[in-house]
Amino acid sequence: MRKFFILLALLFLIVSAIGFFADFKKAVQSLEYFDTIYLVGAAIFGFGNDFIKFFRWHLYIKKLHINVGFFTDLRIFLCGLAMSVTPVKFGYTIKNYIIENITKTPFKKTLSATFAEIYVDFLVLSVISLLGMFYLKKFSVIGAVLIIIVSVIFYPSVFKKIFIQFRTILPYTIRKYYMVLKDMVSFFSIGLFGEVILITILAWLSEGISLSLILKGFGFDVNIIKTTIIFGFATLAGSLSMLPGGLIVSDITLFGLLVYIGIPAYISLGATILARICTLWLSVIVGNSALFLNRKVFFGVQK
């Protein structure tokens, strides 16, 4: 109950902060004229981000040679979505705990898979954000060079060498996971890395489609590349803030970028709220439902 009130307070702060720049009355009126058929599509593609990422997670589990069936693994993955509102989504480690419960596989062995999820998401979002910095104005040679540099630095084998060289000066919270990070980077082959990058791009593209459909419902036609960049940048900003689910930071960034590309503030307010409902909060609802339905099988809880 305490967590619920904390989240409620954060949501109030988000709406208040954004509402400072937008006209609440106009925002409410705009929702009345919103074409709800687009909301259905936005919810499907919004959740599509997480559903597509399941296939990435399943690749990691197979790579670690853990004997978990496809549909059991899907249920485990859905349970993990309940922890979407955690800093950098570190609460996803609940999946590792569930696997340990049902297969007796040590928690630390599968932790590298969860780290790999965060690692690849950060890499792809960084590239999307860099691309966006130049695309929203005019793409340049500098932008291309920066994207190449980030991609090279975070390529698994290069990242491993850099991490080993600088691990002694890194914060303790990162150093204590040295072996997990080392294992995570080690199981990336060129083929696997290419597959998960492709899956991750498709996943974030799905969220871009979701935002594009929401704006379409308000009568604004914004191309998918632009909405993917906007949503990706807002998500990255929220992740770096270390706030649960990127609350406040992701919301304000998303709102600000929509206003920047020419969407009226009162429309941007409604679009931001709907976009977050169709992505973050829909995932939380699905995840908590999965946890409730699987509480006996995964945790031995009767009620």
Side-chain angles (χ1 to χ4, degrees), residues 4 17 61 64 74 101 104 113 124 130 134 159 162 164 168 189 192 198 214 216 243 251 258 268 283 291 298-299:
F4 172 77
I61 294 303
L64 291 170
L74 177 59
N101 262 4
K104 307 305 178 186
V124 171
L130 281 172
F134 298 93
F159 178 76
I162 294 172
I164 290 172
T168 55
S189 61
L192 178 63
L198 178 60
I214 287 170
K216 193 87 170 176
L243 288 168
D251 301 270
L258 289 175
S268 296
S283 293
L291 271 178
F298 292 158
F299 303 101

Side-chain angles (χ1 to χ4, degrees), residues 84-143:
S84 295
V85 189
T86 53
V88 200
K89 297 188 177 181
F90 199 72
Y92 278 2
T93 51
I94 191 175
K95 295 182 292 189
N96 310 104
Y97 176 71
I98 293 172
I99 289 176
E100 184 179 50
N101 262 4
I102 64 176
T103 68
K104 307 305 178 186
T105 303
F107 179 86
K108 286 187 177 180
K109 181 178 178 179
T110 59
L111 196 57
S112 56
T114 300
F115 273 53
E117 286 189 293
I118 298 169
Y119 166 75
V120 173
D121 269 337
F122 182 79
L123 170 58
V124 171
L125 285 175
S126 295
V127 172
I128 287 174
S129 298
L130 281 172
L131 177 64
M133 288 169 61
F134 298 93
Y135 176 82
L136 292 178
K137 288 189 176 180
K138 184 180 179 182
F139 194 75
S140 66
V141 175
I142 297 174

